[in-house]
Amino acid sequence: MGELAAEKHVQYILSVEKRKDDLISVAMEHLRMNGAYWGLTTLDLLGKLETVDVDEVVSWVMECQHESGGFGGNIGHDPHILYTLSAVQILALFDKLNVHDVEKVTNYIAQLQNQDGSFSGDIWGEVDTRFSYIALCCLSILHRLDKINVKKAVSYIVSCKNLDGGFGSTPGGESHAGQIFCCVGALAITGSLHHIDKDLLGWWLCERQVKSGGLNGRPEKLPDDTENGGISDRPDDAVDVYHTYFGVAGLSLLEYPGLKAIDPAYALPVDVVNRIFFAR
Amino acid sequence: MHGRPRKDPKPEDAAASVAKAEKLRSLQSQFLSNHHNKIYTNEALEVSAKLLEVNPEYYTAWNFRKLAVEHRLSLSDPDPDSIKSIFSEELKVVESALKQNFKSYGAWHHRKWVLSKGHSSIDHEMRLLDRYQKLDPRNFHAWDYRRFVAALMNRSEVDELRYTTDMINSNFSNYSAWHNRSILLSNLLQRKVQGFFPKEVVLNEEYELVHQALFTDPDDQSGWFYYLWLLDQTVKADAPRLVSSWPARDSNLIILEDQCLDDCALSPFNTFHSDSGTFPLIVYFNQAVEGVNSSTISVESVLNANSELNWKPLSTNNSQTAQVWVTYLNYPKVDVHSEAYPVEVSIGHSGGIISSSGFHYSHPSRFAFKVFARPVKTPIGHGGEIISWQDGNFALYETSPEEPNPTISLDQLNIKDDNEKTSSEWRAETIANEIALFRELLSEISCKIGKLTLARLLKAHDLLLSPCANKMVYSEEVINLYSDLRTLDPPHSQFYKDEHSLTLLQQITSTGESLLRYCFLHGDGTSSFIGNSMCLRLNNLSLSRMGSFERLLWVQMLDLSYNELRSIEGLEAMQLLSCLNLSNNKLSGFTALGPLRLLKSLKVLDISCNQIGSHSIDTTRYMCSSPLCHTEEIDWGRDEMVTGDVNLANYWEAFVIFRGLSLTQLDIVGNAVADEKLKSFLVKIVPTLKWLDGGELH
């Protein structure tokens, strides 16, 4: 088993944070909030969260919030549920959940729930089980699950269950590892894992492992992710902070030495989650 | 982000890249300025179109375009042609964005938004989809969009099914097509659409279709997953039914208040030790159900008024759905030998018991048993004594010929109607055919998933026949297949191990004869074992999973030590358990002990020599009811009194598991987590504890 080049990963992430003007950074500026969550969580898993300036990050996060309560991907970008979760997760990492108006965010999310229990990503109405996960995860962190119809949210997710035990983005949608993470995470958070056929889904997920040891997202697709300074989607490809996060998180779940434990449902370090639910 | 090669940029490339970045930045700034100032001129629209062409992930630009459309439509009363052209302009922008990124969520959603306004040609969309799907038949965005368009034009599911047939016939290895087929077919079967009823005919045709795929390329997964689904459609019992109960049908239950069987004529299978004035009535269904209560199950006996009975679902996550339900009946205190009290249980005579998939318990069933209560005698050195699990404390149980068979409770309690009879004949025939077919396939090629499928077919065969026959015809062959598979297919070896364990347990519990080989009398090692408790010893069997609970509801003492258990899911059904040995297994966290919280009779627990505290990741963290999954709360204020200065956050798992148990004896040594601090914490939260790690507490 190779050694995790922890210091190199830390330097890589800090460099990404500074970099704003290269082509990739400019092209991705609309999802900087996600990037920040990936980078910061990775730093925390590596035990190096203190290397960033908390106040700078927190004030930038708050500048991305709109009147509606939702957060945009960057300053000036429209609010969306995707970036709202990342923002709340970042505040949780820094134990700064108290700096924001919990009711505002709660209202933004609650209003995005539809009649059938599903959630839209924003006012323009795209529906996807990813958004169900986001809503449940975010409101759970804020202790405001009572503001939405959890029962209907769960039954919508269950309606997206497929023949192979996996889940799709909408009813009838094909199983995909990313969607499955979201749906299983949502069912875990709401005490609803009994809806899942664990053996069937477990089998399908293990089938994602290919000969090289990597994992694909669906049958007959390419595997994604492996390691070096910063981590890329596959060997010999360029690195990015998204894959660095997933690589490190994966290693944490495999109990790789030198990494903090990550909570598999909230996608935050276990000590952060325990602080949210078990601190007095 | 995906698939970009890693290489250092050459100087001239670097310069070009910087220039590109600056151009893009300026475009994005311009766009944001227009958006914030609500400028919807043609120039502004051009800027957004250019931006989306190079960067379709820039989601705010899609929002802007929608706002721009709404703005233009509101300006003056536009004629139908202008409206149409406004929307077709949007479709053009989507197409150019999709050229850049075929998988752009924003682009596809914008298209849906345009179509939902009703001013665009749906036929055109279908033609576009046909083209897209020929280029990439696995693009799930396209399939989702197809579902959306099909709904808009009210295209029938039968037509869409035909489309999947075409896709499959042109390429068997199209997982997306098989998946869509399964969804469409499920709906058609469920609604009993003309041409899709009875389901047996349809499934036969599907078997034909999937056989072609499997025999053409046995290594391709698509067909196999579909086959598994077909098999499930074939064997699954839609309607819930009762599988077993305790007390068992036609049994004579003797309730003893003292610990000893002082009469050798009494069978330990029919006796129950109780000092609480009640005994449990357990019902075990073939699947999880809700709606079990005193109006849906009626219990007639002189001991209880039916309406008083409170039925509890044995759910480890506090849900109202469970496969096993329990209630408590009174037994009378008597001074002399009592009369036999008959109890009659009726299920399904009034509706209300429903499975998670919405099927009702439809076939009424009834079973009865008798209860005797024995008078209290002077206890012979019982209660509060330490239980030892050493080999010397056990003696194999010798049965007498008149012994009732403990596994007899599994016969069918339901009346079969004619429909069910033909249906089960078809099932048996289909399974037999498939077994023959796969035996033939496997004689020619060695194929992991073929072997797994054969194992599943053999198990299904036994499952269908066994309730009456109580025999597992193929279990030895199944066990061998799983052993083969562990070598042939290492990535799934834990799964095969689990299946191996489950099949082994089915084999052991299938007949009274085989079960009795594992039944032992437990004593204090000194006397002749007359009159002592009965223990089921399933130790040293390499079990990675526990199962066959429906046949083990009578067990009060269970030894599962020296196995490889990582979880004890399902154990909550064993409501009579008072002594449990889980030592020397692979339990890696307290959260794995969740099922124990539902065992109200549990007094003696041995979890020594496991792996609790040795792992940084708790793989059963969400399998246990806790505040993390909102199935229960911890009242810190109230509980602080009990726990004192201990930081509950550090011991929440132990707290959640142990605080509800009334254990008298606990063994926990040999786990990394078991230090003095934890032990004194446990002593505080389990006040009934008398023995901890072999030492007596005071």
Side-chain angles (χ1 to χ4, degrees):
Chain A
M1 175 164 83
E3 244 188 65
L4 181 66
E7 201 39 54
K8 283 197 185 155
H9 294 312
V10 171
Q11 292 313 318
Y12 170 70
I13 292 167
L14 293 174
S15 74
V16 168
E17 199 225 341
K18 300 279 176 288
R19 233 192 293 149
K20 287 181 194 168
D21 300 317
D22 64 304
L23 185 56
I24 304 294
S25 300
V26 174
M28 308 278 198
E29 76 166 36
H30 60 276
L31 51 72
R32 196 171 172 82
M33 189 63 74
N34 286 350
Y37 156 73
W38 295 321
L40 293 166
T41 307
T42 310
L43 286 177
D44 200 5
L45 291 175
L46 293 165
K48 293 283 195 258
L49 191 59
E50 75 278 0
T51 53
V52 299
D53 184 333
V54 180
D55 294 325
E56 198 187 313
V57 175
V58 169
S59 72
W60 167 77
V61 166
M62 294 314 294
E63 266 192 275
C64 297
Q65 188 175 29
H66 290 250
E67 258 317 294
S68 59
F71 288 77
N74 206 334
I75 299 172
H77 291 240
D78 284 356
H80 193 283
I81 208 175
L82 286 169
Y83 311 108
T84 306
L85 174 64
S86 292
V88 169
Q89 285 172 315
I90 291 168
L91 294 178
L93 279 174
F94 289 121
D95 199 8
K96 293 275 186 202
L97 284 168
N98 55 345
V99 314
H100 83 303
D101 184 339
V102 172
E103 304 316 321
K104 257 179 102 168
V105 175
T106 303
N107 281 338
Y108 175 73
I109 293 177
Q111 281 177 8
L112 290 171
Q113 185 166 32
N114 302 310
Q115 270 303 320
D116 60 0
S118 68
F119 282 84
S120 300
D122 62 11
I123 53 171
W124 296 108
E126 183 189 358
V127 171
D128 190 314
T129 46
R130 287 178 295 149
F131 308 146
S132 303
Y133 166 70
I134 286 171
L136 292 166
C137 180
C138 195
L139 292 182
S140 174
I141 290 171
L142 299 175
H143 304 294
R144 290 289 187 281
L145 270 183
D146 56 319
K147 297 295 184 198
I148 53 166
N149 188 329
V150 174
K151 201 158 176 243
K152 274 192 158 175
V154 168
S155 70
Y156 180 77
I157 292 172
V158 174
S159 76
C160 297
K161 195 167 53 160
N162 294 321
L163 80 156
D164 46 24
F167 295 83
S169 59
T170 48
E174 190 181 331
S175 300
H176 179 274
Q179 302 294 147
I180 290 170
F181 162 71
C182 289
C183 293
V184 174
L187 293 177
I189 289 171
T190 53
S192 312
L193 285 175
H194 56 279
H195 291 289
I196 295 177
D197 183 336
K198 293 196 278 297
D199 287 326
L200 187 58
L201 180 55
W203 170 270
W204 190 92
L205 289 170
C206 288
E207 279 295 295
R208 297 308 109 237
Q209 185 161 38
V210 296
K211 283 202 185 69
S212 64
L215 296 153
N216 62 26
R218 294 186 284 155
E220 315 309 331
K221 290 271 154 184
L222 291 173
D224 215 51
D225 223 5
T226 189
E227 66 155 288
N228 243 320
I231 298 178
S232 62
D233 60 344
R234 54 192 71 97
D236 299 330
D237 274 357
V239 303
D240 59 62
V241 79
Y242 169 86
H243 289 99
T244 303
Y245 162 75
F246 281 104
V248 172
L251 291 172
S252 167
L253 289 172
L254 292 170
E255 300 189 40
Y256 216 84
L259 292 170
K260 278 163 81 175
I262 191 167
D263 179 294
Y266 292 90
L268 287 167
V270 166
D271 58 355
V272 173
V273 177
N274 284 358
R275 184 172 64 209
I276 293 169
F277 290 97
F278 298 115
R280 295 172 205 233
Chain B
M1 277 198 298
H2 288 87
R4 285 180 302 119
R6 177 184 313 180
K7 54 181 199 273
D8 286 323
K10 302 202 275 291
E12 54 272 30
D13 289 344
S17 178
V18 167
K20 259 184 160 172
E22 275 170 18
K23 259 186 90 181
L24 185 58
R25 158 131 311 137
S26 130
L27 189 61
Q28 286 173 183
S29 297
Q30 229 188 323
F31 162 75
L32 279 180
S33 167
N34 291 336
H35 178 50
H36 294 150
N37 295 308
K38 301 200 204 309
I39 299 172
Y40 304 119
T41 59
N42 284 336
E43 289 85 8
L45 282 168
E46 253 307 296
V47 167
S48 71
K50 259 220 239 9
L51 175 53
L52 286 169
E53 195 178 6
V54 296
N55 197 358
E57 297 310 295
Y58 201 96
Y59 68 97
T60 305
W62 292 113
N63 299 350
F64 170 85
R65 287 211 69 95
K66 293 181 185 68
L67 287 166
V69 166
E70 285 177 351
H71 173 83
R72 284 142 86 201
L73 290 177
S74 74
L75 275 181
S76 53
D77 226 354
D79 55 291
D81 280 333
S82 307
I83 298 179
K84 254 196 144 91
S85 89
I86 287 176
F87 284 114
S88 63
E89 197 183 318
E90 295 310 303
L91 292 180
K92 278 204 198 70
V93 173
V94 170
E95 275 186 60
S96 85
L98 287 179
K99 275 204 189 74
Q100 168 70 338
N101 180 5
F102 201 45
K103 301 179 183 176
S104 165
Y105 284 93
W108 284 104
H109 182 251
H110 195 68
R111 205 168 185 93
K112 280 190 195 156
W113 184 82
V114 167
L115 261 290
S116 67
K117 297 296 180 189
H119 297 281
S120 318
S121 156
I122 297 185
D123 285 329
H124 175 255
E125 294 306 292
M126 266 318 211
R127 287 198 298 278
L128 200 69
L129 267 171
D130 280 337
R131 251 185 27 232
Y132 278 142
Q133 292 195 284
K134 280 203 174 60
L135 283 173
D136 182 1
R138 295 298 308 281
N139 183 318
F140 62 80
H141 293 271
W143 280 100
D144 282 348
Y145 188 66
R146 192 189 176 87
R147 220 169 288 119
F148 168 80
V149 174
L152 268 187
M153 62 195 282
N154 273 324
R155 201 163 135 91
S156 76
E157 282 176 320
V158 178
D159 284 335
E160 281 299 284
L161 190 72
R162 207 170 293 135
Y163 180 73
T164 66
T165 315
D166 293 339
M167 291 289 259
I168 287 167
N169 281 332
S170 74
N171 178 10
F172 282 136
S173 172
N174 189 334
Y175 194 95
S176 308
W178 287 109
H179 158 77
N180 278 277
R181 193 177 183 79
S182 74
I183 302 284
L184 294 160
L185 210 53
S186 297
N187 293 343
L188 290 164
L189 287 173
Q190 192 188 35
R191 288 184 357 239
K192 301 202 165 98
V193 168
Q194 191 183 38
F196 291 88
F197 181 78
K199 76 169 187 184
E200 286 82 10
V201 176
V202 178
L203 293 180
N204 283 342
E205 284 169 10
E206 293 304 303
Y207 273 115
E208 295 257 351
L209 183 63
V210 81
H211 286 158
Q212 289 176 54
L214 297 178
F215 297 146
T216 307
D217 183 3
D219 283 321
D220 176 67
Q221 291 185 3
S222 324
W224 289 105
F225 277 104
Y226 191 74
Y227 185 88
L228 210 61
W229 176 75
L230 275 186
L231 187 58
D232 188 53
Q233 297 299 304
T234 306
V235 303
K236 72 177 178 179
D238 283 336
R241 60 178 178 85
L242 192 70
V243 167
S244 78
S245 70
W246 189 89
R249 166 190 235 190
D250 297 333
S251 62
N252 298 315
L253 176 67
I254 300 155
I255 302 200
L256 303 172
E257 288 206 304
D258 55 35
Q259 294 292 91
C260 298
L261 278 177
D262 63 348
D263 182 343
C264 309
L266 288 179
S267 162
F269 293 112
N270 280 354
T271 53
F272 177 62
H273 301 292
S274 170
D275 49 18
S276 62
T278 63
F279 67 95
L281 170 57
I282 310 167
V283 288
Y284 196 115
F285 297 92
N286 64 342
Q287 57 188 292
V289 292
E290 58 184 47
V292 172
N293 53 50
S294 52
S295 16
T296 52
I297 295 194
S298 86
V299 179
E300 276 174 47
S301 108
V302 299
L303 305 167
N304 281 89
N306 182 53
S307 50
E308 293 164 357
L309 292 179
N310 213 343
W311 286 92
K312 191 178 136 171
L314 295 179
S315 152
T316 50
N317 62 353
N318 283 346
S319 81
Q320 284 308 303
T321 306
Q323 203 171 348
V324 193
W325 290 71
V326 69
T327 190
Y328 290 87
L329 304 181
N330 299 328
Y331 64 84
K333 300 254 185 211
V334 285
D335 291 323
V336 294
H337 275 258
S338 70
E339 303 272 306
Y341 286 90
V343 180
E344 193 171 278
V345 183
S346 311
I347 308 187
H349 292 83
S350 59
I353 299 179
I354 311 181
S355 74
S356 323
S357 23
F359 290 95
H360 285 256
Y361 194 104
S362 46
H363 290 137
S365 40
R366 192 173 266 134
F367 67 95
F369 56 89
K370 295 200 183 87
V371 184
F372 302 77
R374 289 290 291 268
V376 179
K377 290 218 178 92
T378 323
I380 306 169
H382 85 277
E385 299 261 301
I386 194 169
I387 303 281
S388 164
W389 297 91
Q390 307 262 9
D391 278 340
N393 292 89
F394 291 101
L396 190 60
Y397 181 71
E398 308 284 349
T399 56
S400 59
E402 302 90 36
E403 190 79 61
N405 187 336
T407 62
I408 212 126
S409 58
L410 299 177
D411 53 1
Q412 298 268 25
L413 298 168
N414 307 306
I415 315 139
K416 281 211 171 119
D417 66 24
D418 279 324
N419 262 345
E420 251 211 62
K421 197 159 175 286
T422 0
S423 178
S424 53
E425 271 169 17
W426 172 78
R427 265 191 216 126
E429 202 187 310
T430 306
I431 305 260
N433 286 342
E434 295 301 308
I435 288 176
L437 208 61
F438 280 97
R439 284 236 170 88
E440 207 190 299
L441 177 71
L442 287 171
S443 66
E444 288 162 33
I445 54 154
S446 175
C447 157
K448 84 173 192 206
I449 205 161
K451 286 197 170 201
L452 177 60
T453 306
L454 180 60
R456 286 193 165 119
L457 283 164
L458 296 173
K459 278 188 87 163
H461 174 275
D462 278 349
L463 190 72
L464 287 179
L465 290 193
S466 86
C468 297
N470 262 350
K471 249 187 332 160
M472 312 289 294
V473 176
Y474 290 123
S475 55
E476 205 49 49
E477 191 179 344
V478 171
I479 286 178
N480 289 334
L481 280 167
Y482 284 127
S483 297
D484 280 348
L485 282 164
R486 285 185 66 194
T487 346
L488 206 60
D489 188 13
H492 290 284
S493 97
Q494 188 59 44
F495 170 76
Y496 297 131
K497 217 165 180 306
D498 284 356
E499 289 299 304
H500 187 289
S501 300
L502 292 175
T503 311
L504 181 63
L505 286 165
Q506 277 168 358
Q507 212 180 29
I508 289 173
T509 59
S510 60
T511 65
E513 190 196 326
S514 58
L515 186 59
L516 284 166
R517 276 182 240 134
Y518 298 86
C519 294
F520 288 73
L521 284 177
H522 175 266
D524 57 11
T526 59
S527 65
S528 58
F529 290 96
I530 292 176
N532 292 97
S533 314
M534 156 85 89
C535 179
L536 182 66
R537 298 187 82 198
L538 296 174
N539 45 347
N540 282 298
L541 292 173
S542 302
L543 295 174
S544 61
R545 186 96 85 101
M546 188 51 195
S548 295
F549 299 104
E550 68 277 11
R551 301 176 197 224
L552 298 174
L553 298 178
W554 52 274
V555 176
Q556 296 171 49
M557 189 172 179
L558 179 61
D559 187 348
L560 283 170
S561 61
Y562 294 94
N563 279 297
E564 294 169 44
L565 297 171
R566 291 157 195 254
S567 100
I568 48 172
E569 266 183 81
L571 209 74
E572 63 272 11
M574 297 177 73
Q575 288 291 293
L576 271 56
L577 270 186
S578 62
C579 303
L580 176 62
N581 187 352
L582 289 169
S583 76
N584 292 281
N585 274 284
K586 295 202 169 143
L587 300 169
S588 62
F590 284 123
T591 50
L593 301 176
L596 298 185
R597 304 168 73 198
L598 292 163
L599 299 181
K600 295 305 173 200
S601 308
L602 195 64
K603 295 265 173 283
V604 174
L605 176 65
D606 187 343
I607 50 171
S608 61
C609 302
N610 275 281
Q611 297 172 0
I612 303 174
S614 314
H615 293 272
S616 55
I617 296 288
D618 179 7
T619 54
T620 46
R621 184 169 161 92
Y622 286 94
M623 302 306 297
C624 174
S625 179
S626 80
L628 293 169
C629 35
H630 304 280
T631 47
E632 70 185 68
E633 297 304 318
I634 294 182
D635 185 340
W636 300 107
R638 176 195 71 199
D639 296 319
E640 199 172 347
M641 304 265 285
V642 175
T643 60
D645 63 347
V646 164
N647 184 0
L648 258 178
N650 291 339
Y651 286 142
W652 73 267
E653 293 101 331
F655 182 74
V656 145
I657 297 293
F658 286 98
R659 67 167 165 169
L661 298 179
S662 331
L663 299 177
T664 55
Q665 177 178 336
L666 175 65
D667 284 83
I668 196 171
V669 68
N671 286 289
V673 77
D675 56 16
E676 287 314 308
K677 229 175 154 209
L678 176 78
K679 284 161 69 157
S680 70
F681 176 73
L682 288 174
V683 169
K684 282 206 191 89
I685 62 172
V686 189
T688 49
L689 210 52
K690 285 196 185 89
W691 302 93
L692 180 57
D693 283 337
E696 191 165 1
L697 300 167
H698 301 286

